[in-house]
Amino acid sequence: MRHALLRWSVLALAVAVWQLVARAHGSVYFPPPADIAGHAHELWFSGPARHFFLTEAAVGAILPSLGRMAAGFGIAAVAGIALGVAIGRSRRAYALCDPVLQFARAVPPPALVPVFVVLLDFGSPMQIASIAFSAVWPVLINTADGAGNTDPLRLEVAAVLHLTPAERLRFLILPSALPRIFAGLRLSLSLSLILMVFSELLPGTANGIGFTLTDAQSRSDLLTVWAALVLLGALGHLLNTGLLAVEKRLVGKGRTTTV
């Protein structure tokens, strides 16, 4: 509780300093956080209670972005865990695939977006594919590393007990690899948020938070630009906090990873 209060007090102090500096400076390019929060509330969260206070602008901006991000992240998570376990359980396969995996991970994710534009044209399929392809590598590499480092003694005990491959996977390999899997998932979640916004900045997008950013910039609506940036930061924090809570639930507080 003391640690949480300290964290929130630091955030409150930073916002207060921002408010004072912005008020003193009086620049239209650097609005106070109170003005940004009020504009964001009016723009997105002043709807009726039966719609969870979401306005039509929020439904047209936030929900499509979250849908694309969830689809891309979900595909990356499932594919990364499945392929990572398969590669990590074979030392030869891991040695052969590791250079390719490291090369793919080193490619800047936004650089791949033009490739998917050529292959899939503009639209949601291209955006989801670019998110999934870029976010899969941290999950895959971390899962392979975690699965390959399963305690050999436990594997020998499993062989003595004649556990089936499915039972070894369920009771030994996956529990052993879970901390590394969640480390990869948290990295992929951040990449998914970045790629979601970047893909929505491209031509041909008609909704989403990224589209809201470019549209507001073209109209010199700086309050909306700042509101969208703050919204992205808040969404990233909330999603990461939720994933961390799931990790603590499944892995245990003492074994959670920091990325």
Side-chain angles (χ1 to χ4, degrees):
M1 180 64 69
R2 183 180 301 174
H3 181 64
L5 289 175
L6 180 62
R7 290 175 58 188
W8 284 108
S9 63
V10 172
L11 176 61
L13 178 62
V15 173
V17 172
W18 180 2
Q19 178 77 16
L20 292 175
V21 172
R23 287 295 186 193
H25 194 268
S27 173
V28 68
Y29 301 103
F30 191 62
D35 294 351
I36 297 172
H39 182 71
H41 176 267
E42 180 182 356
L43 183 63
W44 293 317
F45 305 112
S46 59
R50 64 179 182 274
H51 293 158
F52 303 100
F53 301 102
L54 295 177
T55 63
E56 293 184 5
V59 174
I62 301 174
L63 297 187
S65 291
L66 291 179
R68 297 184 189 107
M69 180 182 172
F73 178 72
I75 294 171
V78 173
I81 293 173
L83 294 175
V85 170
I87 293 173
R89 292 312 305 142
S90 171
R91 292 186 179 272
R92 180 174 298 179
Y94 187 84
L96 291 174
C97 295
D98 186 62
V100 177
L101 298 179
Q102 298 300 332
F103 173 82
R105 183 179 67 170
V107 176
L112 297 172
V113 172
V115 177
F116 287 100
V117 170
V118 173
L119 295 176
L120 300 174
D121 204 355
F122 294 104
S124 292
M126 177 276 296
Q127 294 165 332
I128 294 173
S130 62
I131 293 171
F133 186 83
S134 299
V136 72
W137 306 113
V139 181
L140 198 161
I141 293 172
N142 279 276
T143 301
D145 183 64
N149 289 326
T150 303
D151 189 353
L153 181 59
R154 293 187 176 184
L155 294 176
E156 293 176 4
V157 173
V160 171
L161 295 176
H162 302 289
L163 295 183
T164 64
E167 290 173 332
R168 295 184 188 185
L169 177 65
R170 178 182 177 184
F171 297 112
L172 293 179
I173 298 174
L174 284 180
S176 176
L178 268 182
R180 298 293 299 171
I181 291 174
F182 274 98
L185 287 174
R186 292 173 66 190
L187 287 171
S188 294
L189 185 65
S190 300
L191 283 175
S192 298
L193 183 63
I194 294 171
L195 264 296
M196 178 267 290
V197 176
F198 185 82
S199 64
E200 291 176 349
L201 298 177
L202 299 175
T205 304
N207 52 30
I209 301 175
F211 173 78
T212 300
L213 272 171
T214 55
D215 180 64
Q217 183 182 10
S218 67
R219 295 183 289 103
S220 298
D221 186 358
L222 297 180
L223 269 180
T224 299
V225 171
W226 277 98
L229 293 176
V230 172
L231 176 64
L232 288 172
L235 285 176
H237 175 71
L238 290 174
L239 293 172
N240 183 72
T241 301
L243 188 58
L244 183 60
V246 175
E247 179 182 4
K248 288 181 179 179
R249 178 80 174 181
L250 296 179
V251 179
K253 185 176 182 180
R255 298 182 62 196
T256 54
T257 54
T258 302
V259 293

